[in-house]
Amino acid sequence: MSPDPNPAILIAAISGRSLAAAARRAGFRPLVADLFNDADTLALADRALKLSGSLQSGIEEERITGTLAELAGGDRPVALIYGSGFERRPEMIEAISRQFQIAGNTAQTIRLVKNPAGLARLCSELSIPHPDIRFDAPEHPQYWLTKLAGGAGGSHVKPANGNASGQEHYFQRFIPGRNLSALFLANRQEAHIVGFSRQWSSPSKHTPFRYGGAVRLRRYDKNKAARIEEWLTALTRRTGLAGLNSADFIDGDAGLNLIEINPRPGATLDIFDSDQTPLLREHLRAVMGSNITLPAYKGSTASAIAYTAKAISAFPKIDWPALTADHQMSGTTLAAGDPVCTVFATAPSAAAAMRAVKSRVKELAVNWRGDSP
């Protein structure tokens, strides 16, 4: 028998749409398990099943392996790629790995980079600047943030305000400056930077650092880029990082500070993926230790999340324009602050792409009740 020209690949995430799109670009048939099974994901997937869980509580551990086995069916997926939803519970990765070949970081690697005290210790040993952390309430809370260990998306980040950190939470010293995210491919020995992006927040009343969007930078200081790659290679050798990952930094008067490592393909996959050099193909090559190819980019691409400001009892039917994805389906009940869709824009420069995508979000907001442009 000749090999399948379009082999199946399993995808598990809170939202699997961007990974499914990346799998299609790389020539795979995506089998997607996520919390939403939205229209875009269903259109991209060869098959899809909903995972049990919610945005608030995360993916339910008990049923995930059974759901994935049902999804795989008679196919023999080449691997399973996971997205967001597993950093807080790496034991789920261990359970999945007993049934499927995982193309990504091991549970042990996730624990090494997502444990706040462990990452702080590694950064100290490797001379990588990293904000102070603590688990007891700071004397001057105005200089600190509180975060959820393994949290993602920015909604868990809040000013300390004297609050106790509580179970699974910790304090991190606030570092003023501009945020910077590095997408990189790792092969357990070396890290190779794919590109840099800047992210912004879409604050709400209770989530001042909620993720708003990101823009791919056309250029970044070469000396700083080389330093970051050295740091990420040192971390890769110590932790065994593999495949696509991202690292978040603050670039300020005090220099660069590593804030956290995201040990999986993340929110910027859409703005970095390429038809010419599909990143999921390079992700698999990096995991296997094979030679990789880094994409070349022209211009800039930005993506942003549009949220509803107020509760909507039945989401209206919308004729969605091009360069949008992750659409809420008509008739859906939404709470205030729920995501409505993802919006994209391209432009010759990062600044122009960022302006364009923010403008498109405002224009689209007139389509759902209770929001203003």
Coordinates of all heavy atoms in Angstrom, one line a residue, residues 304-344:
A304 N -7.1 39.9 15.9 CA -7.7 40.5 17.1 C -9.0 39.7 17.4 O -9.7 39.2 16.5 CB -8.0 42.0 17.0
I305 N -9.3 39.6 18.7 CA -10.6 39.0 19.2 C -11.6 40.1 19.4 O -11.4 41.1 20.0 CB -10.3 38.3 20.5 CG1 -9.2 37.3 20.4 CG2 -11.6 37.5 20.9 CD1 -9.3 36.2 19.4
A306 N -12.8 39.9 18.8 CA -13.9 40.8 19.1 C -14.8 40.1 20.2 O -15.1 38.9 20.1 CB -14.8 40.9 17.8
Y307 N -15.0 40.9 21.2 CA -15.8 40.4 22.4 C -17.2 41.2 22.4 O -17.3 42.3 21.9 CB -15.1 40.7 23.7 CG -13.8 40.0 23.9 CD1 -12.6 40.6 23.5 CD2 -13.7 38.7 24.4 CE1 -11.4 39.9 23.7 CE2 -12.5 38.0 24.6 CZ -11.3 38.7 24.2 OH -10.1 38.0 24.4
T308 N -18.2 40.5 23.0 CA -19.4 41.2 23.2 C -19.4 42.0 24.6 O -18.9 41.4 25.6 CB -20.6 40.3 23.2 OG1 -21.8 41.1 23.5 CG2 -20.5 39.1 24.1
A309 N -19.8 43.2 24.6 CA -19.7 44.0 25.8 C -20.9 43.7 26.8 O -20.7 43.8 28.0 CB -19.7 45.5 25.5
K310 N -22.0 43.2 26.2 CA -23.1 42.9 27.0 C -23.7 41.5 26.7 O -23.3 40.9 25.6 CB -24.2 43.9 26.8 CG -23.9 45.3 27.2 CD -25.0 46.3 26.9 CE -24.6 47.7 27.3 NZ -25.7 48.7 27.1
A311 N -24.5 40.9 27.6 CA -25.0 39.6 27.4 C -26.0 39.6 26.1 O -26.7 40.6 25.9 CB -25.8 39.1 28.6
I312 N -26.0 38.6 25.4 CA -26.9 38.4 24.2 C -27.7 37.1 24.3 O -27.1 36.1 24.4 CB -26.1 38.4 22.9 CG1 -25.3 39.8 22.7 CG2 -27.0 38.2 21.7 CD1 -24.4 39.8 21.5
S313 N -29.0 37.2 24.4 CA -29.8 36.0 24.6 C -29.8 35.1 23.3 O -29.9 33.9 23.5 CB -31.2 36.4 24.9 OG -31.8 37.3 23.9
A314 N -29.8 35.7 22.1 CA -29.7 34.9 20.9 C -28.9 35.7 19.9 O -29.3 36.8 19.4 CB -31.1 34.7 20.4
F315 N -27.7 35.2 19.6 CA -26.8 35.9 18.7 C -27.4 36.0 17.3 O -28.0 35.0 16.8 CB -25.5 35.2 18.6 CG -24.4 36.0 18.0 CD1 -23.8 37.0 18.7 CD2 -24.0 35.7 16.7 CE1 -22.8 37.8 18.1 CE2 -23.0 36.5 16.1 CZ -22.4 37.5 16.8
P316 N -27.4 37.2 16.7 CA -28.0 37.4 15.4 C -27.3 36.7 14.3 O -26.1 36.3 14.4 CB -28.0 38.9 15.2 CG -26.8 39.3 16.0 CD -26.7 38.4 17.2
K317 N -28.0 36.4 13.2 CA -27.4 35.9 12.0 C -26.6 37.0 11.3 O -27.1 38.0 11.1 CB -28.5 35.3 11.1 CG -27.9 34.6 9.8 CD -29.0 34.0 9.0 CE -28.4 33.4 7.7 NZ -27.3 32.5 7.9
I318 N -25.3 36.7 11.0 CA -24.5 37.7 10.4 C -23.9 37.1 9.1 O -23.5 35.9 9.1 CB -23.3 38.1 11.4 CG1 -23.9 38.8 12.6 CG2 -22.3 38.9 10.7 CD1 -22.9 39.1 13.7
D319 N -23.8 37.9 8.1 CA -23.1 37.6 6.9 C -21.7 38.0 7.1 O -21.3 39.1 6.8 CB -23.7 38.4 5.7 CG -23.1 38.0 4.3 OD1 -22.4 36.9 4.3 OD2 -23.4 38.7 3.4
W320 N -20.9 37.0 7.5 CA -19.5 37.3 7.9 C -18.7 37.7 6.8 O -18.6 37.0 5.7 CB -18.9 36.1 8.7 CG -19.6 35.8 10.0 CD1 -20.5 34.8 10.2 CD2 -19.4 36.5 11.2 NE1 -20.8 34.8 11.5 CE2 -20.2 35.8 12.2 CE3 -18.6 37.6 11.6 CZ2 -20.2 36.3 13.5 CZ3 -18.6 38.0 12.9 CH2 -19.5 37.3 13.8
P321 N -17.9 38.8 6.9 CA -17.0 39.2 5.8 C -15.8 38.3 5.8 O -15.5 37.5 6.7 CB -16.7 40.6 6.2 CG -16.8 40.7 7.7 CD -17.9 39.7 8.0
A322 N -15.0 38.5 4.7 CA -13.7 37.8 4.6 C -12.8 38.3 5.7 O -13.0 39.3 6.4 CB -13.0 38.1 3.3
L323 N -11.7 37.5 5.9 CA -10.7 37.8 7.0 C -11.3 37.8 8.4 O -10.9 38.6 9.2 CB -10.0 39.1 6.7 CG -9.1 39.1 5.4 CD1 -8.5 40.5 5.1 CD2 -8.0 38.1 5.5
T324 N -12.2 36.9 8.6 CA -12.8 36.7 10.0 C -12.9 35.2 10.2 O -12.9 34.4 9.2 CB -14.2 37.3 10.2 OG1 -15.1 36.7 9.2 CG2 -14.1 38.8 10.0
A325 N -12.9 34.8 11.4 CA -12.9 33.3 11.8 C -13.5 33.2 13.2 O -13.8 34.2 13.9 CB -11.5 32.7 11.6
D326 N -13.6 31.9 13.6 CA -14.1 31.6 14.9 C -15.5 32.2 15.2 O -15.7 32.8 16.3 CB -13.1 32.0 16.0 CG -11.7 31.4 15.8 OD1 -11.7 30.2 15.4 OD2 -10.7 32.1 15.9
H327 N -16.3 32.2 14.2 CA -17.6 32.9 14.3 C -18.6 32.3 15.3 O -18.8 31.0 15.3 CB -18.3 32.9 13.0 CG -17.5 33.4 11.9 ND1 -17.2 32.7 10.7 CD2 -16.8 34.6 11.7 CE1 -16.4 33.4 9.9 NE2 -16.1 34.6 10.5
Q328 N -19.2 33.1 16.2 CA -20.3 32.6 17.0 C -21.5 32.3 16.0 O -21.7 33.0 15.1 CB -20.8 33.7 18.0 CG -19.8 33.8 19.1 CD -20.0 32.7 20.2 OE1 -20.8 31.8 20.0 NE2 -19.2 32.8 21.2
M329 N -22.2 31.2 16.3 CA -23.3 30.8 15.5 C -24.6 31.5 15.9 O -24.8 31.8 17.1 CB -23.5 29.3 15.5 CG -22.4 28.6 14.8 SD -22.7 26.8 14.5 CE -22.1 26.1 16.1
S330 N -25.4 31.8 14.9 CA -26.7 32.5 15.3 C -27.5 31.7 16.2 O -27.5 30.4 16.2 CB -27.5 32.8 14.0 OG -27.8 31.6 13.3
G331 N -28.2 32.4 17.1 CA -29.0 31.7 18.1 C -28.3 31.4 19.4 O -28.9 31.0 20.4
T332 N -27.0 31.5 19.4 CA -26.2 31.2 20.6 C -26.4 32.2 21.7 O -26.5 33.4 21.4 CB -24.7 31.1 20.3 OG1 -24.5 30.2 19.2 CG2 -23.9 30.7 21.5
T333 N -26.5 31.8 23.0 CA -26.6 32.7 24.1 C -25.2 33.0 24.6 O -24.4 32.1 24.8 CB -27.4 32.0 25.2 OG1 -28.7 31.7 24.8 CG2 -27.4 33.0 26.5
L334 N -24.9 34.3 24.7 CA -23.6 34.8 25.1 C -23.7 35.6 26.4 O -24.6 36.4 26.6 CB -23.0 35.7 24.0 CG -22.8 35.0 22.6 CD1 -22.1 36.0 21.7 CD2 -21.9 33.8 22.7
A335 N -22.7 35.4 27.2 CA -22.5 36.3 28.4 C -21.7 37.5 28.1 O -20.9 37.4 27.1 CB -21.9 35.5 29.5
A336 N -21.8 38.5 28.8 CA -20.9 39.7 28.6 C -19.5 39.3 28.7 O -19.1 38.5 29.6 CB -21.2 40.7 29.7
G337 N -18.7 39.7 27.7 CA -17.3 39.4 27.7 C -17.0 38.1 26.9 O -15.8 37.8 26.7
D338 N -18.0 37.4 26.3 CA -17.7 36.3 25.5 C -17.1 36.7 24.2 O -17.4 37.7 23.6 CB -18.9 35.5 25.3 CG -19.3 34.5 26.4 OD1 -18.5 34.4 27.3 OD2 -20.4 34.0 26.4
P339 N -16.2 35.8 23.6 CA -15.6 36.1 22.3 C -16.7 35.9 21.2 O -17.5 35.0 21.3 CB -14.5 35.2 22.2 CG -14.8 34.0 23.1 CD -15.6 34.6 24.2
V340 N -16.7 36.8 20.2 CA -17.6 36.7 19.1 C -17.0 36.2 17.8 O -17.5 35.3 17.1 CB -18.2 38.1 18.8 CG1 -19.1 38.1 17.6 CG2 -19.0 38.6 20.0
C341 N -15.8 36.6 17.5 CA -15.0 36.2 16.4 C -13.6 36.6 16.4 O -13.2 37.4 17.3 CB -15.7 36.7 15.1 SG -15.6 38.5 14.8
T342 N -12.8 36.1 15.5 CA -11.4 36.6 15.3 C -11.4 37.3 14.0 O -12.0 36.9 13.0 CB -10.4 35.4 15.3 OG1 -10.5 34.6 16.5 CG2 -9.0 35.9 15.1
V343 N -10.7 38.5 14.0 CA -10.6 39.3 12.8 C -9.1 39.5 12.4 O -8.2 39.5 13.3 CB -11.1 40.7 13.2 CG1 -11.1 41.7 12.0 CG2 -12.6 40.6 13.7
F344 N -8.9 39.5 11.1 CA -7.5 39.6 10.6 C -7.4 40.8 9.7 O -8.3 41.3 9.1 CB -7.2 38.4 9.8 CG -7.3 37.1 10.5 CD1 -8.5 36.3 10.3 CD2 -6.4 36.6 11.4 CE1 -8.6 35.1 11.0 CE2 -6.6 35.5 12.1 CZ -7.7 34.7 11.9

